[in-house]
Amino acid sequence: MKIHIFLALIGTFVVIVGAQDQEGFISLDCGLPIDESPYNDSFNELTFTSDSTFIQTGKIDRVDKDLSINLSRQYMTLRYFPEGKRNCYSLDVKRGTTYLIVVSFVYGNYDGLNRDPNFDIHLGPNKWKRIDLDGEKEGTREEIIHKVMSNSLDICLVKTGETFPIISAIEIRPLKNKTYVTQSGSLMLSFRVYLSNSDASIRYADDVHDRIWSPFTGSSFTHITTNLNINNSNAYDIPKTILQGAATPKNASAPLIITWEPIPTNAEVYLYMHFAEIQTLEANETRQFDVILKGNFNHSGFSPTKLKVFTLFTEEPMKCGSEGCHLQLVRTPNSTLPPLINALEAYSVIEFSQLETSLSDVGAIKNIKDTYQLSKITWQGDPCLPQYLSWENIRCTYVDDSTPPTIISLDLSNNSLTGPVPIFLATMKSLSLINLSGNNLSGSVPQALLDREKEGLVLKLEGNPDLCKSSFCNKEKKKKNYLLPSVASAASLLIVVVVVALFFVFRKKKTGPSDLHDPPSMTVSNVEKTNQSSIISKKIRYTYSEVQEMTNNFDKALGEGGFGVVYHGFVNVTEQVAVKLLSQSSSQGYKHFKAEVELLLRVHHINLVSLVGYCDEGEHLALIYEYMPNGDLKQHLSGKHSGFVLSWESRLKIVVDAALGLEYLHTGCIPPMVHRDIKTTNILLDQHLQAKLADFGLSRSFPIGNEKHVSTVVAGTPGYLDPEYYQTNWLTEKSDIYSFGIVLLEMITNRPIIQQTREKPHLVEWVSFMITKGDIRNIMDPNLHHNYDIGSVWKAIEIAMSCVNLSSTRRPNMSQVVNELKECVISETSRIGEGRDMESKGSVDFSKDFYNEVIPQAR
Ligand SMILES: *[C@@H]1O[C@H](CO)[C@@H](O)[C@H](O)[C@H]1NC(C)=O
Ligand SMILES: *[C@@H]1O[C@H](CO)[C@@H](O)[C@H](O)[C@H]1NC(C)=O
Ligand SMILES: *[C@@H]1O[C@H](CO)[C@@H](O)[C@H](O)[C@H]1NC(C)=O
Ligand SMILES: *[C@@H]1O[C@H](CO)[C@@H](O)[C@H](O)[C@H]1NC(C)=O
Ligand SMILES: *[C@@H]1O[C@H](CO)[C@@H](O)[C@H](O)[C@H]1NC(C)=O
Ligand SMILES: *[C@@H]1O[C@H](CO)[C@@H](O)[C@H](O)[C@H]1NC(C)=O
Ligand SMILES: *[C@@H]1O[C@H](CO)[C@@H](O)[C@H](O)[C@H]1NC(C)=O
Ligand SMILES: *[C@@H]1O[C@H](CO)[C@@H](O)[C@H](O)[C@H]1NC(C)=O
Ligand SMILES: *[C@@H]1O[C@H](CO)[C@@H](O)[C@H](O)[C@H]1NC(C)=O
Ligand SMILES: *[C@@H]1O[C@H](CO)[C@@H](O)[C@H](O)[C@H]1NC(C)=O
Ligand SMILES: *[C@@H]1O[C@H](CO)[C@@H](O)[C@H](O)[C@H]1NC(C)=O
């Protein structure tokens, strides 16, 4: 039996317009102009969209309007590929899911040349099939059942001769897990039939998975039908209309036989047979038969279930003999009724043995492509595979089919690239050479890449005049032996004096959140229009409906910040994110929003919360950050987060992380940035309690050198606000140092910054007072139960007090703070870590593992 599906016949499909959802369906009408997209197919209500967002190459056209066949709408337009050897669609799918993938090709003499094209079609790195349209006036349709191993599926058209590849439609339907499982390989359709003498095919919406079922009959068959409802509840979701009919042999004592020839003839075969008893059997009646695939299996004594589907399928691949496949249903001697069958599917196995290029490499290289909007014609599909089609300017290593290739070198020299060097280059662990020379990159090289360089990565950056090649691009040299003022000396007297003055300032001009304004002088270029926009790729901009979807319609609020509520969400199914929805009432909101997007797109550091994306759609503004599951430092100090007390060691490590983030803002990026809102609620903690700074809405760059920036409106959070800045409106990075000193004092004392009932209401004042009394134990957070190294405590207090010095010029810079705090960590860890390996004393490793030892994991 040869079953041929004519595309032209699709018009005769049974039309059942159902309100079934098309969840997970991808229905692309290739070549459909965007202004005609989407549309609902008039026969089956499938919603087709244009393919233009899934492919960057190719040209679109229409079939000859004088064509003498009636085509469904999705075959009237097509995309053809005059350029490049391989052109690929890149589709978003769900890893681990089995999909029905259907591609259709109708030439339709679109070019007037009357020359039927031939070409290859590839699925990811593997060749799927040769498409030869010679004589196929009505086109061809290829179908495969394939389990995807990544979240992206590449369908590629590969030119093999003179003619240009074409494509008319792509249809992708998710199938249920645990159906159509193979031992290896994917399934190519031989046929899918239901036993009926009707002439209508059945597909969506009768079939929720949109499989196309063709009617099938034979001269030796009798067809029976029922109007009774059939229970179709098994994983295969066979349409009820199909199960309501069946075939039996005309000669009731003869077997029912179906034969076919698989393609290729020696192919391994999988078979799926769907049965339901649709006759009402009397008590003295039985239907029992053997299901036999000649040379393979004999499933004996089978009886279909009454009014309920039963699917009999092969779990292992079968091999038919040279005379083809021979399926027979043989009535057993005990049976009073002939055998029966309702529907049947047969597939041949196609092995896709070549594993895709390492997923992390593919992710990173696609990111690079998007970031720099590189439109190299070869940069489509799998970067390394097949080898003869690998991308230009990259080199891969190949071991064998079952080892994913890896990318070892990337040459982006002489590409006029602008903007910063993306940090995700560092994630391509197999890269040994990155050549970025001869471009126009700016900013500083991410620390992660510099770290990779130490491990042997060759990084070529010549000929980028605006690029700073170290993570510390400041002129200021780090002084190793910086001396902090001795707190116990007369200096404390000065502090007491200035603190009193400071406190008056606070009382005089009390700032509330409603007084927060943005300096009018702030220059924020439009995210959309900035000519540095090369970093802004499509991937990070989301529509409002996508934001709704990722947050499950804002169902889980994580907290409320100054400019809106923060919600929990997911992107790409599994990546957790925090979504800050900017409240529409906040008039300053848009400025802060743009400032934050701009800044976060420009700076990347392990101790700065990174931006996953944003939404800027009319009045809907949202920022999508990486999710920080452990909340903020303030919650941890108050015990609100988990109830356990942060140890002194953990606190020190957290402030070192925060200090590193701030150091990067001050000295690592160009132009340097002032955060302007350093406080314990803006220090967030990830699952390993690694700290990252958040909330850059107030941040701004400051001039370097002696010149100071005068802003007319002071912004920040009361209590953390640098009194000098408050009085003079001179903005420098030293204002952040002041706020950081306050954070240190909170971390040390776990007391409110301002408490009117205290003998000295302001925390700075109170600590000074306690110091002069020599009462250091009572400065410390009592929850720590004296469980700390007193030397590191003294040092931390010294650092904090020097940071809050009223005179900004006497405050240390962040690099000095970082070094001093690291020394605190060393003395504390050596106290508690008798058994702990202290080899790394000289350079404390603040890696994640370090934290795991100390902190119980949240469950
Ligand atoms: C297509 O059908 C869906 C539901 O069946 C409906 O919501 C949508 O508006 C229709 N679209 C068009 C373009 O007709
Ligand atoms: C195409 O469809 C129209 C209207 O449905 C019909 O009149 C015509 O005969 C069909 N042509 C062909 C070639 O099938
Ligand atoms: C199917 O399996 C994949 C991978 O194992 C899983 O991610 C997905 O949730 C499963 N789907 C259903 C409906 O169980
Ligand atoms: C169909 O069968 C399933 C399980 O075999 C059962 O749970 C379900 O209730 C049945 N449905 C109907 C409508 O009888
Ligand atoms: C019906 O089938 C039986 C068994 O195959 C055979 O012996 C018999 O001749 C057949 N009858 C007719 C009328 O073909
Ligand atoms: C089953 O019983 C009915 C009467 O109830 C009878 O007419 C019929 O011939 C019987 N069939 C068989 C196969 O014995
Ligand atoms: C199938 O198996 C049954 C029971 O094992 C046996 O009676 C029957 O003859 C077998 N049929 C064939 C064609 O081998
Ligand atoms: C056929 O029927 C007899 C008597 O009812 C029973 O003993 C025997 O096991 C049955 N054979 C099969 C294969 O069901
Ligand atoms: C890049 O430009 C430099 C200087 O103009 C030139 O020497 C080099 O060959 C170019 N490299 C490539 C790959 O085009
Ligand atoms: C990097 O690219 C430049 C410019 O094309 C070239 O001159 C240089 O040889 C390349 N370096 C390496 C290590 O490939
Ligand atoms: C690099 O960028 C700057 C500013 O964007 C521009 O003035 C300069 O001409 C660019 N240089 C090259 C070589 O493209």
Side-chain angles (χ1 to χ4, degrees), residues 1 180 187-193 213 260 262 268-274 325 344-349:
M1 181 184 75
Y180 304 103
L187 296 175
M188 235 183 345
L189 182 69
S190 289
F191 60 87
R192 181 184 300 115
V193 295
W213 300 85
W260 72 99
E268 293 190 314
V269 172
Y270 279 83
L271 197 57
Y272 300 84
M273 293 161 279
H274 310 286
C325 296
L344 170 72
E345 303 166 75
Y347 298 88
S348 301
V349 173

PDB file of all heavy atoms in Angstrom, residues 1 180 187-193 213 260 262 268-274 325 344-349:
ATOM      1  N   MET A   1       0.857  -1.196   0.000  1.00  0.00           N
ATOM      2  CA  MET A   1       0.000   0.000   0.000  1.00  0.00           C
ATOM      3  C   MET A   1       0.886   1.236   0.000  1.00  0.00           C
ATOM      4  O   MET A   1       1.806   1.351   0.782  1.00  0.00           O
ATOM      5  CB  MET A   1      -0.829  -0.016   1.293  1.00  0.00           C
ATOM      6  CG  MET A   1      -1.751   1.136   1.367  1.00  0.00           C
ATOM      7  SD  MET A   1      -2.609   1.147   2.942  1.00  0.00           S
ATOM      8  CE  MET A   1      -1.348   1.716   4.022  1.00  0.00           C
ATOM      9  N   TYR A 180       5.350   7.413  21.325  1.00  0.00           N
ATOM     10  CA  TYR A 180       6.269   7.312  20.185  1.00  0.00           C
ATOM     11  C   TYR A 180       7.733   7.276  20.657  1.00  0.00           C
ATOM     12  O   TYR A 180       8.587   7.990  20.135  1.00  0.00           O
ATOM     13  CB  TYR A 180       6.049   8.466  19.198  1.00  0.00           C
ATOM     14  CG  TYR A 180       4.622   8.557  18.688  1.00  0.00           C
ATOM     15  CD1 TYR A 180       3.747   9.519  19.176  1.00  0.00           C
ATOM     16  CD2 TYR A 180       4.157   7.666  17.725  1.00  0.00           C
ATOM     17  CE1 TYR A 180       2.440   9.598  18.721  1.00  0.00           C
ATOM     18  CE2 TYR A 180       2.843   7.745  17.262  1.00  0.00           C
ATOM     19  CZ  TYR A 180       1.994   8.710  17.763  1.00  0.00           C
ATOM     20  OH  TYR A 180       0.715   8.791  17.297  1.00  0.00           O
ATOM     21  N   LEU A 187      11.371   9.158  14.165  1.00  0.00           N
ATOM     22  CA  LEU A 187      10.421   8.364  13.377  1.00  0.00           C
ATOM     23  C   LEU A 187       9.966   9.125  12.140  1.00  0.00           C
ATOM     24  O   LEU A 187       9.412  10.221  12.242  1.00  0.00           O
ATOM     25  CB  LEU A 187       9.205   8.023  14.247  1.00  0.00           C
ATOM     26  CG  LEU A 187       9.468   7.131  15.453  1.00  0.00           C
ATOM     27  CD1 LEU A 187       8.201   6.967  16.283  1.00  0.00           C
ATOM     28  CD2 LEU A 187      10.002   5.768  15.014  1.00  0.00           C
ATOM     29  N   MET A 188      10.198   8.509  10.984  1.00  0.00           N
ATOM     30  CA  MET A 188       9.728   9.081   9.733  1.00  0.00           C
ATOM     31  C   MET A 188       8.434   8.383   9.347  1.00  0.00           C
ATOM     32  O   MET A 188       8.384   7.160   9.346  1.00  0.00           O
ATOM     33  CB  MET A 188      10.769   8.890   8.646  1.00  0.00           C
ATOM     34  CG  MET A 188      11.099  10.197   8.055  1.00  0.00           C
ATOM     35  SD  MET A 188      12.242  10.284   6.698  1.00  0.00           S
ATOM     36  CE  MET A 188      13.091   8.810   6.582  1.00  0.00           C
ATOM     37  N   LEU A 189       7.423   9.157   9.017  1.00  0.00           N
ATOM     38  CA  LEU A 189       6.108   8.569   8.773  1.00  0.00           C
ATOM     39  C   LEU A 189       6.097   7.712   7.506  1.00  0.00           C
ATOM     40  O   LEU A 189       6.533   8.150   6.446  1.00  0.00           O
ATOM     41  CB  LEU A 189       5.070   9.681   8.638  1.00  0.00           C
ATOM     42  CG  LEU A 189       3.631   9.211   8.432  1.00  0.00           C
ATOM     43  CD1 LEU A 189       3.097   8.556   9.691  1.00  0.00           C
ATOM     44  CD2 LEU A 189       2.733  10.375   8.029  1.00  0.00           C
ATOM     45  N   SER A 190       5.614   6.462   7.631  1.00  0.00           N
ATOM     46  CA  SER A 190       5.291   5.689   6.432  1.00  0.00           C
ATOM     47  C   SER A 190       3.834   5.936   6.078  1.00  0.00           C
ATOM     48  O   SER A 190       3.517   6.310   4.965  1.00  0.00           O
ATOM     49  CB  SER A 190       5.503   4.192   6.667  1.00  0.00           C
ATOM     50  OG  SER A 190       6.872   3.907   6.764  1.00  0.00           O
ATOM     51  N   PHE A 191       2.957   5.735   7.051  1.00  0.00           N
ATOM     52  CA  PHE A 191       1.555   6.109   6.836  1.00  0.00           C
ATOM     53  C   PHE A 191       0.838   6.206   8.165  1.00  0.00           C
ATOM     54  O   PHE A 191       1.273   5.649   9.174  1.00  0.00           O
ATOM     55  CB  PHE A 191       0.837   5.105   5.927  1.00  0.00           C
ATOM     56  CG  PHE A 191       0.811   3.711   6.451  1.00  0.00           C
ATOM     57  CD1 PHE A 191      -0.192   3.300   7.315  1.00  0.00           C
ATOM     58  CD2 PHE A 191       1.788   2.792   6.079  1.00  0.00           C
ATOM     59  CE1 PHE A 191      -0.215   2.002   7.810  1.00  0.00           C
ATOM     60  CE2 PHE A 191       1.773   1.503   6.575  1.00  0.00           C
ATOM     61  CZ  PHE A 191       0.767   1.106   7.451  1.00  0.00           C
ATOM     62  N   ARG A 192      -0.277   6.941   8.148  1.00  0.00           N
ATOM     63  CA  ARG A 192      -1.129   7.054   9.329  1.00  0.00           C
ATOM     64  C   ARG A 192      -2.555   7.018   8.809  1.00  0.00           C
ATOM     65  O   ARG A 192      -2.966   7.929   8.088  1.00  0.00           O
ATOM     66  CB  ARG A 192      -0.851   8.366  10.061  1.00  0.00           C
ATOM     67  CG  ARG A 192      -1.692   8.533  11.335  1.00  0.00           C
ATOM     68  CD  ARG A 192      -1.490   9.884  11.999  1.00  0.00           C
ATOM     69  NE  ARG A 192      -0.116  10.106  12.385  1.00  0.00           N
ATOM     70  CZ  ARG A 192       0.659  11.050  11.866  1.00  0.00           C
ATOM     71  NH1 ARG A 192       0.197  11.856  10.944  1.00  0.00           N
ATOM     72  NH2 ARG A 192       1.897  11.187  12.271  1.00  0.00           N
ATOM     73  N   VAL A 193      -3.259   5.929   9.098  1.00  0.00           N
ATOM     74  CA  VAL A 193      -4.576   5.754   8.493  1.00  0.00           C
ATOM     75  C   VAL A 193      -5.634   5.421   9.536  1.00  0.00           C
ATOM     76  O   VAL A 193      -5.323   4.922  10.616  1.00  0.00           O
ATOM     77  CB  VAL A 193      -4.561   4.620   7.438  1.00  0.00           C
ATOM     78  CG1 VAL A 193      -3.665   4.981   6.272  1.00  0.00           C
ATOM     79  CG2 VAL A 193      -4.150   3.286   8.053  1.00  0.00           C
ATOM     80  N   TRP A 213      -4.782  12.042   9.570  1.00  0.00           N
ATOM     81  CA  TRP A 213      -5.214  10.659   9.414  1.00  0.00           C
ATOM     82  C   TRP A 213      -5.920  10.534   8.070  1.00  0.00           C
ATOM     83  O   TRP A 213      -6.892  11.230   7.827  1.00  0.00           O
ATOM     84  CB  TRP A 213      -6.170  10.256  10.525  1.00  0.00           C
ATOM     85  CG  TRP A 213      -5.592  10.356  11.907  1.00  0.00           C
ATOM     86  CD1 TRP A 213      -5.542  11.465  12.695  1.00  0.00           C
ATOM     87  CD2 TRP A 213      -4.967   9.310  12.652  1.00  0.00           C
ATOM     88  NE1 TRP A 213      -4.922  11.172  13.881  1.00  0.00           N
ATOM     89  CE2 TRP A 213      -4.561   9.846  13.892  1.00  0.00           C
ATOM     90  CE3 TRP A 213      -4.713   7.952  12.404  1.00  0.00           C
ATOM     91  CZ2 TRP A 213      -3.917   9.089  14.866  1.00  0.00           C
ATOM     92  CZ3 TRP A 213      -4.078   7.204  13.387  1.00  0.00           C
ATOM     93  CH2 TRP A 213      -3.679   7.769  14.597  1.00  0.00           C
ATOM     94  N   TRP A 260       2.806  -3.387   3.547  1.00  0.00           N
ATOM     95  CA  TRP A 260       3.421  -2.173   2.987  1.00  0.00           C
ATOM     96  C   TRP A 260       4.918  -2.365   2.859  1.00  0.00           C
ATOM     97  O   TRP A 260       5.490  -3.274   3.458  1.00  0.00           O
ATOM     98  CB  TRP A 260       3.111  -0.954   3.829  1.00  0.00           C
ATOM     99  CG  TRP A 260       3.826  -0.879   5.154  1.00  0.00           C
ATOM    100  CD1 TRP A 260       4.945  -0.168   5.421  1.00  0.00           C
ATOM    101  CD2 TRP A 260       3.470  -1.525   6.366  1.00  0.00           C
ATOM    102  NE1 TRP A 260       5.315  -0.336   6.725  1.00  0.00           N
ATOM    103  CE2 TRP A 260       4.419  -1.173   7.337  1.00  0.00           C
ATOM    104  CE3 TRP A 260       2.427  -2.411   6.739  1.00  0.00           C
ATOM    105  CZ2 TRP A 260       4.379  -1.645   8.647  1.00  0.00           C
ATOM    106  CZ3 TRP A 260       2.384  -2.874   8.046  1.00  0.00           C
ATOM    107  CH2 TRP A 260       3.358  -2.487   8.993  1.00  0.00           C
ATOM    108  N   PRO A 262       8.369  -0.534   3.590  1.00  0.00           N
ATOM    109  CA  PRO A 262       8.970   0.621   4.242  1.00  0.00           C
ATOM    110  C   PRO A 262      10.009   1.284   3.341  1.00  0.00           C
ATOM    111  O   PRO A 262      10.519   0.640   2.425  1.00  0.00           O
ATOM    112  CB  PRO A 262       9.625   0.046   5.499  1.00  0.00           C
ATOM    113  CG  PRO A 262       9.774  -1.405   5.256  1.00  0.00           C
ATOM    114  CD  PRO A 262       8.806  -1.801   4.187  1.00  0.00           C
ATOM    115  N   GLU A 268      14.289   0.074   9.865  1.00  0.00           N
ATOM    116  CA  GLU A 268      13.674  -0.428  11.091  1.00  0.00           C
ATOM    117  C   GLU A 268      12.317   0.245  11.240  1.00  0.00           C
ATOM    118  O   GLU A 268      12.163   1.424  10.919  1.00  0.00           O
ATOM    119  CB  GLU A 268      14.568  -0.118  12.291  1.00  0.00           C
ATOM    120  CG  GLU A 268      15.873  -0.883  12.243  1.00  0.00           C
ATOM    121  CD  GLU A 268      16.656  -0.768  13.532  1.00  0.00           C
ATOM    122  OE1 GLU A 268      16.772   0.357  14.033  1.00  0.00           O
ATOM    123  OE2 GLU A 268      17.124  -1.812  14.019  1.00  0.00           O
ATOM    124  N   VAL A 269      11.352  -0.519  11.737  1.00  0.00           N
ATOM    125  CA  VAL A 269       9.966  -0.073  11.697  1.00  0.00           C
ATOM    126  C   VAL A 269       9.358  -0.055  13.094  1.00  0.00           C
ATOM    127  O   VAL A 269       9.655  -0.934  13.907  1.00  0.00           O
ATOM    128  CB  VAL A 269       9.152  -1.044  10.792  1.00  0.00           C
ATOM    129  CG1 VAL A 269       7.670  -0.745  10.865  1.00  0.00           C
ATOM    130  CG2 VAL A 269       9.639  -0.957   9.360  1.00  0.00           C
ATOM    131  N   TYR A 270       8.591   0.980  13.370  1.00  0.00           N
ATOM    132  CA  TYR A 270       7.754   1.004  14.576  1.00  0.00           C
ATOM    133  C   TYR A 270       6.292   1.061  14.134  1.00  0.00           C
ATOM    134  O   TYR A 270       5.963   1.747  13.165  1.00  0.00           O
ATOM    135  CB  TYR A 270       8.065   2.218  15.446  1.00  0.00           C
ATOM    136  CG  TYR A 270       9.293   2.042  16.317  1.00  0.00           C
ATOM    137  CD1 TYR A 270      10.558   2.282  15.808  1.00  0.00           C
ATOM    138  CD2 TYR A 270       9.168   1.636  17.643  1.00  0.00           C
ATOM    139  CE1 TYR A 270      11.687   2.122  16.605  1.00  0.00           C
ATOM    140  CE2 TYR A 270      10.290   1.473  18.445  1.00  0.00           C
ATOM    141  CZ  TYR A 270      11.553   1.723  17.919  1.00  0.00           C
ATOM    142  OH  TYR A 270      12.645   1.553  18.719  1.00  0.00           O
ATOM    143  N   LEU A 271       5.443   0.349  14.882  1.00  0.00           N
ATOM    144  CA  LEU A 271       4.057   0.212  14.494  1.00  0.00           C
ATOM    145  C   LEU A 271       3.152   0.554  15.686  1.00  0.00           C
ATOM    146  O   LEU A 271       3.431   0.133  16.816  1.00  0.00           O
ATOM    147  CB  LEU A 271       3.848  -1.259  14.097  1.00  0.00           C
ATOM    148  CG  LEU A 271       2.630  -1.644  13.294  1.00  0.00           C
ATOM    149  CD1 LEU A 271       2.576  -0.840  11.999  1.00  0.00           C
ATOM    150  CD2 LEU A 271       2.719  -3.141  12.960  1.00  0.00           C
ATOM    151  N   TYR A 272       2.110   1.340  15.445  1.00  0.00           N
ATOM    152  CA  TYR A 272       1.158   1.725  16.497  1.00  0.00           C
ATOM    153  C   TYR A 272      -0.239   1.377  16.008  1.00  0.00           C
ATOM    154  O   TYR A 272      -0.689   1.913  14.994  1.00  0.00           O
ATOM    155  CB  TYR A 272       1.265   3.224  16.795  1.00  0.00           C
ATOM    156  CG  TYR A 272       2.656   3.587  17.273  1.00  0.00           C
ATOM    157  CD1 TYR A 272       3.679   3.832  16.363  1.00  0.00           C
ATOM    158  CD2 TYR A 272       2.948   3.634  18.633  1.00  0.00           C
ATOM    159  CE1 TYR A 272       4.961   4.118  16.796  1.00  0.00           C
ATOM    160  CE2 TYR A 272       4.227   3.922  19.075  1.00  0.00           C
ATOM    161  CZ  TYR A 272       5.234   4.164  18.149  1.00  0.00           C
ATOM    162  OH  TYR A 272       6.499   4.426  18.589  1.00  0.00           O
ATOM    163  N   MET A 273      -0.910   0.448  16.708  1.00  0.00           N
ATOM    164  CA  MET A 273      -2.244  -0.001  16.278  1.00  0.00           C
ATOM    165  C   MET A 273      -3.250   0.385  17.345  1.00  0.00           C
ATOM    166  O   MET A 273      -3.010   0.178  18.542  1.00  0.00           O
ATOM    167  CB  MET A 273      -2.231  -1.521  16.105  1.00  0.00           C
ATOM    168  CG  MET A 273      -1.349  -1.967  14.955  1.00  0.00           C
ATOM    169  SD  MET A 273      -0.909  -3.712  15.083  1.00  0.00           S
ATOM    170  CE  MET A 273       0.423  -3.656  16.251  1.00  0.00           C
ATOM    171  N   HIS A 274      -4.341   0.972  16.917  1.00  0.00           N
ATOM    172  CA  HIS A 274      -5.341   1.461  17.873  1.00  0.00           C
ATOM    173  C   HIS A 274      -6.638   0.679  17.678  1.00  0.00           C
ATOM    174  O   HIS A 274      -7.176   0.621  16.571  1.00  0.00           O
ATOM    175  CB  HIS A 274      -5.580   2.952  17.659  1.00  0.00           C
ATOM    176  CG  HIS A 274      -4.290   3.740  17.611  1.00  0.00           C
ATOM    177  ND1 HIS A 274      -3.541   4.002  18.734  1.00  0.00           N
ATOM    178  CD2 HIS A 274      -3.599   4.270  16.569  1.00  0.00           C
ATOM    179  CE1 HIS A 274      -2.442   4.685  18.377  1.00  0.00           C
ATOM    180  NE2 HIS A 274      -2.467   4.852  17.069  1.00  0.00           N
ATOM    181  N   CYS A 325       6.506  -5.481   4.688  1.00  0.00           N
ATOM    182  CA  CYS A 325       5.919  -5.750   5.996  1.00  0.00           C
ATOM    183  C   CYS A 325       4.538  -6.368   5.816  1.00  0.00           C
ATOM    184  O   CYS A 325       3.766  -5.943   4.947  1.00  0.00           O
ATOM    185  CB  CYS A 325       5.799  -4.460   6.802  1.00  0.00           C
ATOM    186  SG  CYS A 325       7.381  -3.722   7.190  1.00  0.00           S
ATOM    187  N   LEU A 344      -4.172   2.872  12.483  1.00  0.00           N
ATOM    188  CA  LEU A 344      -2.853   2.265  12.403  1.00  0.00           C
ATOM    189  C   LEU A 344      -1.828   3.282  11.906  1.00  0.00           C
ATOM    190  O   LEU A 344      -2.092   4.055  10.979  1.00  0.00           O
ATOM    191  CB  LEU A 344      -2.986   1.105  11.402  1.00  0.00           C
ATOM    192  CG  LEU A 344      -1.814   0.354  10.854  1.00  0.00           C
ATOM    193  CD1 LEU A 344      -1.216  -0.527  11.936  1.00  0.00           C
ATOM    194  CD2 LEU A 344      -2.297  -0.528   9.697  1.00  0.00           C
ATOM    195  N   GLU A 345      -0.657   3.294  12.560  1.00  0.00           N
ATOM    196  CA  GLU A 345       0.433   4.184  12.124  1.00  0.00           C
ATOM    197  C   GLU A 345       1.699   3.360  11.971  1.00  0.00           C
ATOM    198  O   GLU A 345       1.989   2.522  12.817  1.00  0.00           O
ATOM    199  CB  GLU A 345       0.724   5.251  13.180  1.00  0.00           C
ATOM    200  CG  GLU A 345      -0.431   6.114  13.586  1.00  0.00           C
ATOM    201  CD  GLU A 345      -0.099   6.882  14.862  1.00  0.00           C
ATOM    202  OE1 GLU A 345       0.674   7.846  14.784  1.00  0.00           O
ATOM    203  OE2 GLU A 345      -0.595   6.504  15.938  1.00  0.00           O
ATOM    204  N   ALA A 346       2.453   3.620  10.913  1.00  0.00           N
ATOM    205  CA  ALA A 346       3.733   2.935  10.731  1.00  0.00           C
ATOM    206  C   ALA A 346       4.816   3.966  10.451  1.00  0.00           C
ATOM    207  O   ALA A 346       4.592   4.952   9.736  1.00  0.00           O
ATOM    208  CB  ALA A 346       3.643   1.938   9.586  1.00  0.00           C
ATOM    209  N   TYR A 347       5.979   3.752  11.036  1.00  0.00           N
ATOM    210  CA  TYR A 347       7.099   4.686  10.887  1.00  0.00           C
ATOM    211  C   TYR A 347       8.382   3.914  10.593  1.00  0.00           C
ATOM    212  O   TYR A 347       8.526   2.756  11.004  1.00  0.00           O
ATOM    213  CB  TYR A 347       7.331   5.470  12.184  1.00  0.00           C
ATOM    214  CG  TYR A 347       6.176   6.329  12.601  1.00  0.00           C
ATOM    215  CD1 TYR A 347       5.154   5.812  13.407  1.00  0.00           C
ATOM    216  CD2 TYR A 347       6.090   7.656  12.200  1.00  0.00           C
ATOM    217  CE1 TYR A 347       4.086   6.597  13.800  1.00  0.00           C
ATOM    218  CE2 TYR A 347       5.029   8.445  12.592  1.00  0.00           C
ATOM    219  CZ  TYR A 347       4.023   7.914  13.396  1.00  0.00           C
ATOM    220  OH  TYR A 347       2.974   8.710  13.774  1.00  0.00           O
ATOM    221  N   SER A 348       9.311   4.597   9.924  1.00  0.00           N
ATOM    222  CA  SER A 348      10.657   4.059   9.754  1.00  0.00           C
ATOM    223  C   SER A 348      11.587   4.871  10.646  1.00  0.00           C
ATOM    224  O   SER A 348      11.410   6.078  10.801  1.00  0.00           O
ATOM    225  CB  SER A 348      11.135   4.218   8.309  1.00  0.00           C
ATOM    226  OG  SER A 348      10.264   3.546   7.444  1.00  0.00           O
ATOM    227  N   VAL A 349      12.600   4.197  11.164  1.00  0.00           N
ATOM    228  CA  VAL A 349      13.548   4.893  12.036  1.00  0.00           C
ATOM    229  C   VAL A 349      14.556   5.657  11.192  1.00  0.00           C
ATOM    230  O   VAL A 349      15.072   5.137  10.200  1.00  0.00           O
ATOM    231  CB  VAL A 349      14.297   3.884  12.933  1.00  0.00           C
ATOM    232  CG1 VAL A 349      15.402   4.589  13.720  1.00  0.00           C
ATOM    233  CG2 VAL A 349      13.329   3.199  13.868  1.00  0.00           C
TER     234      VAL A 349
END
